[in-house]
Amino acid sequence: MPKNSKVVKRELDDEVIESVKDLLSNEDSSDDAFKKSELIVDDQEEKDADVEEGSDVEDERPAWNSKLQYILAQVGFSVGLGNVWRFPYLCQKNGGGAYLVPYLVLLLIIGIPLFFLELAVGQRIRRGSIGVWNYISPKLGGIGFASCVVCFFVALYYNVIIGWSLFYFSQSFQHPLPWDQCPLVKNTSHTFVEPECEKSSATTYYWYREALNISSSLSESGGLNWKMTVCLLAAWVMVCLAMIKGIQSSGKIMYFSSLFPYVVLLCFLIRGLLLNGSVDGIRHMFTPKLEIMLEPKVWREAATQVFFALGLGFGGVIAFSSYNKRDNNCHFDAVLVSFINFFTSVLATLVVFAVLGFKANIINEKCVIQNSEKILKLLKIGNLSQDMIPHHINFSSITAEDYNLVYDIIRKVKEEEFDSLGLTSCQIEDELNKAVQGTGLAFIAFTEAMTHFPASPFWSVMFFLMLVNLGLGSMFGTIEGIITPIVDTFKIRKEILTVICCLVAFFIGLVFVQRSGNYFVTMFDDYSATLPLLIVVILENIAVTRIYGIDKFMEDLKDMLGFSPSQYYYYIWKYVSPLVLLCLLVASVVQMGLSPPGYSAWIEDTATEEFHSYPTWGMIVCISLMVLAILPVPIVFVVRRCNLIDDSSGSLASVSYKRGRIIKEPVNLEGDNTSLIHGKSPSEVPSPNFGKNIYRKQTGSPTLDTAPNGRYGIGYLMADMPDMPESDL
């Protein structure tokens, strides 16, 4: 090709645009100006391209300031409140230390491979979830929209939990803590303890009555709780300010929000190990109950925890990885973040059971004292003989071991009338076997334990600040899973979209800060994400392995990473993970069908929880949440399968040198009567569609010249021809 062909240039704000023919005719490998330029395919659906390594031209798409910032963002998204209050509960419920075996097995089978898959497609295509699945197959573009809907549902109630944590955080700067003692009620004649509190406990009363001021049923709204409304507004303001500049603002906050929880957990672990009874809690936690491992529900719950712990299907993983360089080692990232998540769960479990062991020891001591007083009364009235009591027993300073010795003696001697004596067995194991999860663990059990800590306000401030940071880290990824795909697809300004999204979510979120709001949080937690996310991830797996092609995807990974991934991933993605996910989906549907749909309502008169079934309108809401979350998948498939909407832009994407921004107006080529493609002017040639390779090697070119960013470089012509293979990701 002639090196000095006639080129007609048009200058606008230091931008230089050349005709396709003249641009591609410039094949001088020593042309530094060309090497330092970026080849842009600027159509309505994909307006950015990857920048070659060493380019001094700034890519329009934002990028992470450092690899550490990116890793912290992924860790902050995957490590959330579930690591602190869900994993310890499952560990306790499903065999203690034995539960770690199925969890690790499933982490290797579905966790790491699917996490790696999402990181890879996001990094390769450099789009949010909508753009990624549109690229692979436009008919499956609904997967991305479904992810956005699920993210929005989860964000609605997840930020309410952050609001609760903010409320407790603000109340922790008091000594004694406000939930330390039951409040006193005064009337004209005397003062007495609040009956509702006396029937339950100080921390339980504070949670249900002072914090939530909860109603007795889902149907009883009770109006807005103004304290929680203010906290919810504060939570959304924090999220909005952190996300308004995208990863430029949220990435910097990650240094604190992702690392601070580890500081708090380590401090709690050290403090917890110094508490009386903490070793009993940890021993109980890691005593394996191997027989429970054989139960199918253990594996189902372990798979569900792995699935949600890594944030699969939300779109946040894809969004964060889309801001990476194309040659980033996302396989290393997947393994690193997955195991950081696992070890965080184990660390949190150690902390939780050290503290619960201390709490169980306190409760056991109270039990021993109360029952010892009963025995003394029975001895005085003659119901028990002094001869039953060993001589070394001193009831004024009796230990748990001595009490259990006396208890066993009395039970054997007074076997027939033992039940009427009203004595109870005071065993630490009985208290530790009471499984507590979710809000019950964080806002009742843990807060009660902290009231017995020296300097309890300090530990309370640290604990709830940790919960706020864990929640915010997950919220950043969740909101990124909404905003990034929409910005990429519809080209809306990120700042405006972020503010609108947060405002809309706040006003819808007022449902959760009614007096009945806690019941709606339970409803959304149970029904808005589980099944839709499983379906989304199954479709993601099928889209990559079956529609795009697993062999082609493995080649893409080799091109991107610089080495061939293990064949282990090939077989896992193609055969194992789809089967495991389908089994998990079926098991979840069966479990949902067998479990009566309902919620635990707090009854003020009895100061206890009582199971209520959802009313008819509540069941409609539950079903609607699941249907709305997955509805975009069939809608987009039908629309694009039947060509109900014409997506073609009708013009060839302009090819330009990028100098700071993309020129979006059409290019007029003067003095050039012929076109490279089909003899048409660029404005008349249709845009290249997704899935069609726009690079073609020239006939007779001796070598395969690949650009550093993974795209084909000099020696490849732009074309849109029928015989071209589908493009690599």
Side-chain angles (χ1 to χ4, degrees):
M1 282 183 159
K3 180 178 178 182
N4 297 318
S5 59
K6 179 180 178 181
V7 178
V8 180
K9 300 181 180 179
R10 179 183 177 189
E11 297 182 0
L12 176 61
D13 296 336
D14 295 327
E15 309 272 347
V16 181
I17 299 183
E18 299 184 283
S19 71
V20 175
K21 179 177 179 180
D22 292 329
L23 178 62
L24 293 173
S25 66
N26 191 346
E27 292 189 332
D28 190 351
S29 61
S30 64
D31 189 346
D32 293 335
F34 185 80
K35 283 184 176 180
K36 292 182 180 180
S37 301
E38 184 185 355
L39 189 61
I40 299 291
V41 177
D42 180 17
D43 65 13
Q44 293 180 357
E45 294 186 82
E46 181 166 287
K47 291 187 179 178
D48 72 323
D50 302 289
V51 184
E52 297 184 14
E53 289 184 10
S55 172
D56 57 2
V57 181
E58 182 184 4
D59 190 6
E60 183 177 334
R61 191 170 188 80
W64 297 102
N65 290 334
S66 67
K67 180 66 175 283
L68 176 61
Q69 193 179 94
Y70 163 68
I71 293 295
L72 289 177
Q74 291 285 16
V75 169
F77 176 50
S78 67
V79 174
L81 298 173
N83 296 77
V84 175
W85 67 35
R86 177 71 177 165
F87 187 89
Y89 160 76
L90 290 174
C91 216
Q92 176 192 27
K93 176 186 173 185
N94 296 318
Y99 174 74
L100 300 180
V101 175
Y103 186 88
L104 274 173
V105 169
L106 291 165
L107 182 67
L108 294 173
I109 291 177
I110 63 173
I112 295 176
L114 293 175
F115 192 58
F116 178 28
L117 184 145
E118 289 200 357
L119 289 178
V121 295
Q123 180 175 308
R124 187 67 169 181
I125 302 174
R126 309 196 74 205
R127 286 289 183 276
S129 55
I130 296 176
V132 160
W133 306 114
N134 267 338
Y135 188 96
I136 289 178
S137 174
K139 294 174 186 176
L140 294 179
I143 297 175
F145 287 101
S147 293
C148 290
V149 174
V150 173
C151 281
F152 187 71
F153 285 161
V154 171
L156 288 176
Y157 75 85
Y158 204 88
N159 223 25
V160 175
I161 301 174
I162 298 177
W164 294 342
S165 303
L166 284 173
F167 174 76
Y168 268 80
F169 172 74
S170 67
Q171 299 298 307
S172 297
F173 295 91
Q174 306 176 46
H175 186 75
L177 291 168
W179 51 84
D180 185 40
Q181 300 290 335
C182 283
L184 299 176
V185 180
K186 295 181 181 180
N187 60 17
T188 54
S189 58
H190 63 284
T191 301
F192 56 93
V193 176
E194 169 64 49
E196 185 181 359
C197 184
E198 192 173 24
K199 293 174 185 176
S200 53
S201 68
T203 50
T204 304
Y205 173 82
Y206 191 87
W207 166 241
Y208 283 116
R209 190 56 52 212
E210 296 294 335
L212 299 181
N213 192 19
I214 199 165
S215 63
S216 297
S217 72
L218 182 71
S219 302
E220 183 186 338
S221 168
L224 290 178
N225 180 341
W226 70 267
K227 292 180 288 189
M228 287 306 171
T229 303
V230 171
C231 291
L232 179 63
L233 177 61
W236 276 114
V237 168
M238 292 168 63
V239 171
C240 184
L241 292 177
M243 298 295 299
I244 198 164
K245 292 294 184 182
I247 62 171
Q248 278 79 9
S249 55
S250 65
K252 294 179 176 64
I253 297 173
M254 288 295 178
Y255 286 111
F256 180 77
S257 65
S258 296
L259 294 176
F260 180 74
Y262 291 96
V263 175
V264 176
L265 285 174
L266 288 173
C267 290
F268 262 98
L269 180 61
I270 295 170
R271 185 69 189 91
L273 292 174
L274 298 176
L275 296 171
N276 185 31
S278 61
V279 176
D280 295 327
I282 294 175
R283 186 188 302 117
H284 175 83
M285 171 63 243
F286 286 103
T287 300
K289 304 175 184 65
L290 299 177
E291 66 280 1
I292 298 181
M293 278 181 56
L294 302 177
E295 298 180 13
K297 71 168 187 174
V298 174
W299 290 84
R300 179 183 64 80
E301 292 186 346
T304 304
Q305 178 64 15
V306 168
F307 186 85
F308 289 107
L310 295 175
L312 300 175
F314 281 94
V317 173
I318 293 175
F320 279 150
S321 65
S322 71
Y323 299 113
N324 272 333
K325 294 180 179 179
R326 286 280 293 277
D327 58 353
N328 174 62
N329 189 347
C330 54
H331 174 256
F332 172 80
D333 299 342
V335 176
L336 177 65
V337 172
S338 298
F339 277 101
I340 287 176
N341 185 292
F342 171 70
F343 288 119
T344 303
S345 298
V346 174
L347 174 62
T349 302
L350 285 171
V351 171
V352 166
F353 276 88
V355 174
L356 291 182
F358 166 69
K359 174 176 173 282
N361 197 271
I362 295 289
I363 293 174
N364 195 61
E365 288 177 359
K366 291 181 180 178
C367 176
V368 169
I369 293 172
Q370 291 171 354
N371 281 273
S372 297
E373 292 174 352
K374 288 182 182 179
I375 293 174
L376 287 174
K377 289 179 181 178
L378 292 170
L379 289 171
K380 286 181 180 179
I381 62 177
N383 285 2
L384 293 178
S385 171
Q386 187 67 43
D387 296 335
M388 297 181 187
I389 311 301
H391 297 295
H392 70 279
I393 300 296
N394 181 6
F395 283 102
S396 61
S397 59
I398 190 172
T399 63
E401 291 79 9
D402 287 342
Y403 169 75
N404 286 321
L405 175 62
V406 174
Y407 177 85
D408 290 337
I409 292 172
I410 295 174
R411 186 175 59 179
K412 290 176 182 176
V413 175
K414 297 283 187 177
E415 184 175 356
E416 294 182 357
E417 52 186 292
F418 179 77
D419 292 339
S420 63
L421 298 178
L423 299 177
T424 56
S425 174
C426 298
Q427 299 285 345
I428 292 180
E429 292 295 317
D430 294 339
E431 188 64 31
L432 289 171
N433 281 328
K434 295 178 182 177
V436 182
Q437 68 159 326
T439 53
L441 175 63
F443 298 106
I444 298 177
F446 228 82
T447 51
E448 182 176 347
M450 284 187 294
T451 59
H452 301 288
F453 281 23
S456 55
F458 168 78
W459 293 104
S460 183
V461 167
M462 294 282 282
F463 177 72
F464 289 108
L465 186 58
M466 177 190 72
L467 290 189
V468 170
N469 277 275
L470 285 172
L472 286 176
S474 297
M475 275 297 295
F476 294 157
T478 304
I479 297 297
E480 198 69 54
I482 302 171
I483 292 175
T484 297
I486 295 177
V487 169
D488 288 344
T489 305
F490 301 105
K491 307 305 176 187
I492 303 171
R493 282 192 62 185
K494 178 164 280 190
E495 295 87 347
I496 296 174
L497 179 62
T498 303
V499 172
I500 292 174
C501 180
C502 291
L503 278 174
V504 171
F506 167 71
F507 284 111
I508 297 177
L510 294 177
V511 172
F512 302 102
V513 289
Q514 304 174 93
R515 290 184 58 200
S516 60
N518 187 47
Y519 307 138
F520 284 96
V521 170
T522 302
M523 177 190 292
F524 271 66
D525 190 34
D526 290 342
Y527 292 96
S528 67
T530 306
L531 292 181
L533 281 181
L534 278 171
I535 295 172
V536 164
V537 176
I538 290 171
L539 292 175
E540 288 181 358
N541 199 324
I542 293 173
V544 171
T545 59
R546 307 293 175 182
I547 296 176
Y548 183 77
I550 185 64
D551 295 314
K552 195 185 303 181
F553 184 60
M554 295 296 285
E555 286 298 319
D556 291 336
L557 289 175
K558 180 179 179 181
D559 174 57
M560 183 167 63
L561 301 176
F563 62 88
S564 297
S566 169
Q567 285 297 304
Y568 167 81
Y569 292 105
Y570 179 92
Y571 295 106
I572 288 291
W573 284 329
K574 190 170 184 179
Y575 303 110
V576 180
S577 58
L579 180 62
V580 172
L581 288 172
L582 284 172
C583 291
L584 181 58
L585 178 63
V586 171
S588 298
V589 171
V590 170
Q591 175 66 21
M592 197 170 288
L594 295 177
S595 302
Y599 61 99
S600 295
W602 178 255
I603 309 303
E604 182 177 357
D605 295 337
T606 60
T608 55
E609 288 186 333
E610 186 177 292
F611 182 81
H612 285 186
S613 296
Y614 285 119
T616 304
W617 65 266
M619 285 301 303
I620 294 173
V621 172
C622 294
I623 296 171
S624 299
L625 288 174
M626 293 185 288
V627 172
L628 286 174
I630 208 63
L631 196 59
V633 175
I635 288 178
V636 172
F637 180 84
V638 171
V639 165
R640 289 181 172 164
R641 179 72 176 82
C642 302
N643 294 320
L644 299 181
I645 297 178
D646 185 12
D647 289 334
S648 62
S649 61
S651 63
L652 177 66
S654 62
V655 181
S656 67
Y657 288 117
K658 178 179 169 187
R659 303 286 185 191
R661 64 183 178 84
I662 298 176
I663 294 181
K664 299 175 182 173
E665 59 185 73
V667 181
N668 295 323
L669 301 177
E670 301 176 9
D672 193 358
N673 296 324
T674 60
S675 175
L676 177 66
I677 305 174
H678 304 303
K680 297 182 181 180
S681 66
S683 62
E684 298 172 341
V685 180
S687 299
N689 297 323
F690 288 122
K692 298 298 181 183
N693 201 322
I694 61 172
Y695 296 95
R696 182 167 206 171
K697 193 176 188 301
Q698 292 185 30
T699 305
S701 184
T703 59
L704 182 67
D705 192 358
T706 306
N709 64 4
R711 291 200 173 181
Y712 296 125
I714 309 303
Y716 281 77
L717 297 180
M718 295 189 64
D720 184 15
M721 297 186 176
D723 60 338
M724 294 298 295
E726 291 188 1
S727 69
D728 294 337
L729 283 180

